[in-house]
Amino acid sequence: MSDAAHKAMWEKLDLDIEAHDGLLAVLGKFYGDIYLSQEGRLKGAEYLDFVLSEVHGLRIKEIQDAKAAGKKVVGTFCVFVPEELTLAAGAVQVGLCAGAKAGTELAETLVPRGTCDLIKSFVGFKLARLCPYTESCDLIVGETTCDGKKKAYEAFSQLANMHIMEVPQCKAPCDMTLFRSELVRYKEALETLTGNAITAAALAEATKVVNAKRRALQRLSALRAADPAPISGRDALLINQISFYDDPVRFTAKINELCDEIEARVAAGQGVAPKKTPRLLLAGCPMAVPNWKLPYLIESSGAVIVGEESCIGERNTRDLTDETPADLDGMLDALAARYMQIDCACFTPNDERLDNIAALAKRLNADGVVHYGLLFCQPYAHEAMKVGKAMTAAGIPYLAIETDYGMEDAGQLKTRVEAFVETLA
């Protein structure tokens, strides 16, 4: 697309063109400094670079073309929204901008100042007219995974057409029943939105598409157990972030191609860092595009990240949806069972997360765990303490970091990370 075509599309979406141009300029420099400066990247990383260069361009054009062809677009902020149902309804599902400081002053007119940056980000992107994904949506799905989001959605629903999905806070049988009923309610909302009835055949096909994407990401995760690490943590995080934006079938094909290249690299004993470089598992809060600060600080401090225990990582890809049910009721049961395995910090108790982190660290041959907590995110701040005790019991070195989307603390964080990495060498 030409620059003029981009601009015309963004004007049609009523973006603030001047502010949006400024955002893309900052994002481009940030990406160049953090990603393009890496040595030893895979050839397949060209796909990542292209997607990021056109994340507000060609992908938005594809979405607009889909809308012109009669498809509806559904935006989400959370891994509890089942993409299987969205695709089965013939709609497009996309993750929404929430990983950068944008429109913060405007956001603080709708949500309290002491709200986490993720929430202020999606509110700010909307109020400042900076996110073409949000402006393309026919429906935005919120979920009750924390009190901050719940109350923010009350205000946000005045700005966009929303469907709120109730996510239980416990995992008793009655909670499973509640979540299954929420799946039925979401299915009905999709059918009303699209005018398409979700059939067993459509849901079975959609489940295969989404599972194929998860299998590609599982394959990538398994390959990262190799030493030397065959791919940087920054690139692996970016792959997981792009999984929320790109067409799922194209994404799966590209990531499987990239995994083919990684397998050859592993067989040749090659990597992005020398063998025995300290290996870290990054756990905790999700990191939406372009929240790359902490991964960059870690990998510029003499370590390599070998896994992400977050919603933009293993928590979203670890479990598949059972493809064996033959009827719609059975498929909905399978969806409920799969999504209720997510070990989000919104659940109480959530002890399986502690076991999952320790097991993942061992599977990936990690030398230590860094827990990332987003400032003002109470659920993960509480769990950071429990994770620390669990890692100590498992004999895994541990560092807990709490930060926000700003760069003001970058120097202080780098000092702490470097000191931690030195203890692992």
Side-chain angles (χ1 to χ4, degrees):
M1 290 177 68
S2 65
D3 290 345
H6 279 123
K7 185 176 179 182
M9 180 175 66
W10 296 330
E11 284 178 340
K12 193 174 180 182
L13 289 170
D14 195 29
L15 298 190
D16 181 331
I17 298 301
E18 183 177 352
H20 185 255
D21 286 348
L23 173 72
L24 292 189
V26 171
L27 180 62
K29 183 178 186 313
F30 203 40
Y31 189 78
D33 292 344
I34 291 177
Y35 278 92
L36 301 182
S37 63
Q38 297 180 94
E39 296 181 358
R41 291 183 86 200
L42 297 151
K43 188 175 185 305
E46 293 174 357
Y47 161 68
L48 311 180
D49 297 340
F50 180 73
V51 171
L52 254 291
S53 70
E54 289 290 346
V55 71
H56 281 196
L58 281 178
R59 183 57 183 145
I60 297 299
K61 175 67 165 55
E62 287 182 339
I63 288 171
Q64 295 306 312
D65 289 345
K67 286 171 70 77
K71 283 181 175 280
K72 300 296 183 182
V73 178
V74 177
T76 72
F77 302 108
C78 181
V79 296
F80 276 101
V81 181
E83 189 174 8
E84 294 93 331
L85 284 174
T86 309
L87 296 181
V92 177
Q93 181 166 314
V94 294
L96 298 182
C97 301
K101 281 184 177 291
T104 302
E105 290 185 5
L106 290 171
E108 290 176 354
T109 65
L110 274 191
V111 298
R113 188 166 182 266
T115 298
C116 80
D117 272 355
L118 186 147
I119 292 172
K120 283 199 279 191
S121 178
F122 75 71
V123 175
F125 267 106
K126 174 64 180 175
L127 290 176
R129 297 163 31 229
L130 290 171
C131 178
Y133 291 93
T134 300
E135 302 310 321
S136 297
C137 285
D138 299 290
L139 179 70
I140 294 176
V141 184
E143 77 306 319
T144 58
T145 48
C146 76
D147 288 347
K149 278 186 170 181
K150 279 188 290 190
K151 304 312 289 183
Y153 291 148
E154 291 177 11
F156 200 77
S157 64
Q158 299 172 20
L159 309 171
N161 181 31
M162 291 203 73
H163 174 87
I164 305 300
M165 176 178 284
E166 171 76 5
V167 175
Q169 309 294 288
C170 300
K171 293 187 176 179
C174 61
D175 300 301
M176 179 72 80
T177 300
L178 167 61
F179 189 67
R180 190 189 184 288
S181 71
E182 284 298 285
L183 293 180
V184 171
R185 202 165 64 84
Y186 180 52
K187 168 181 169 294
E188 293 170 349
L190 285 168
E191 290 174 332
T192 299
L193 177 73
T194 63
N196 300 326
I198 294 178
T199 64
L203 185 53
E205 181 59 30
T207 299
K208 289 178 182 176
V209 169
V210 180
N211 273 346
K213 179 165 69 170
R214 293 180 183 129
R215 287 191 181 95
L217 290 166
Q218 289 175 353
R219 183 183 173 200
L220 171 66
S221 175
L223 289 166
R224 295 172 73 190
D227 189 13
I231 183 171
S232 72
R234 279 167 281 179
D235 277 332
L237 172 63
L238 184 58
I239 289 169
N240 279 285
Q241 291 171 333
I242 287 174
S243 72
F244 291 88
Y245 291 93
D246 203 7
D247 173 82
V249 173
R250 176 173 56 207
F251 172 85
T252 300
K254 288 294 183 183
I255 299 311
N256 276 320
E257 288 176 12
L258 189 139
C259 286
D260 292 341
E261 186 184 354
I262 293 177
E263 283 182 346
R265 177 175 276 194
V266 170
Q270 299 172 344
V272 292
K275 202 169 183 178
K276 303 302 182 187
T277 295
R279 303 163 59 86
L280 294 176
L281 172 65
L282 188 55
C285 289
M287 292 179 167
V289 173
N291 183 4
W292 303 314
K293 176 176 72 174
L294 187 55
Y296 173 69
L297 292 175
I298 289 173
E299 295 200 322
S300 61
S301 298
V304 62
I305 297 168
V306 296
E308 296 77 27
E309 183 278 329
S310 80
C311 299
I312 316 292
E314 296 282 337
R315 198 175 301 132
N316 182 43
T317 61
R318 181 178 55 230
D319 304 306
L320 301 176
T321 300
D322 185 2
E323 297 179 18
T324 60
D327 60 34
L328 202 51
D329 279 341
M331 293 175 188
L332 289 169
D333 290 341
L335 282 177
R338 186 268 170 196
Y339 281 86
M340 285 293 284
Q341 290 184 70
I342 296 173
D343 55 357
C344 174
C346 70
F347 287 108
T348 182
N350 193 32
D351 292 341
E352 66 262 38
R353 179 170 173 241
L354 309 179
D355 298 334
N356 286 335
I357 294 174
L360 182 61
K362 291 178 180 176
R363 176 168 70 78
L364 295 173
N365 301 310
D367 298 306
V369 171
V370 174
H371 191 282
Y372 158 65
L374 184 59
L375 194 63
F376 300 121
C377 177
Q378 289 293 318
Y380 281 96
H382 279 276
E383 292 208 348
M385 299 179 186
K386 298 181 71 172
V387 173
K389 292 176 181 176
M391 294 306 104
T392 298
I396 301 172
Y398 177 75
L399 174 67
I401 283 177
E402 191 173 57
T403 184
D404 58 18
Y405 287 174
M407 294 300 290
E408 293 82 2
D409 61 351
Q412 182 186 53
L413 292 179
K414 186 168 173 58
T415 299
R416 291 185 63 199
V417 170
E418 286 175 341
F420 181 62
V421 171
E422 282 182 10
T423 68
L424 306 175

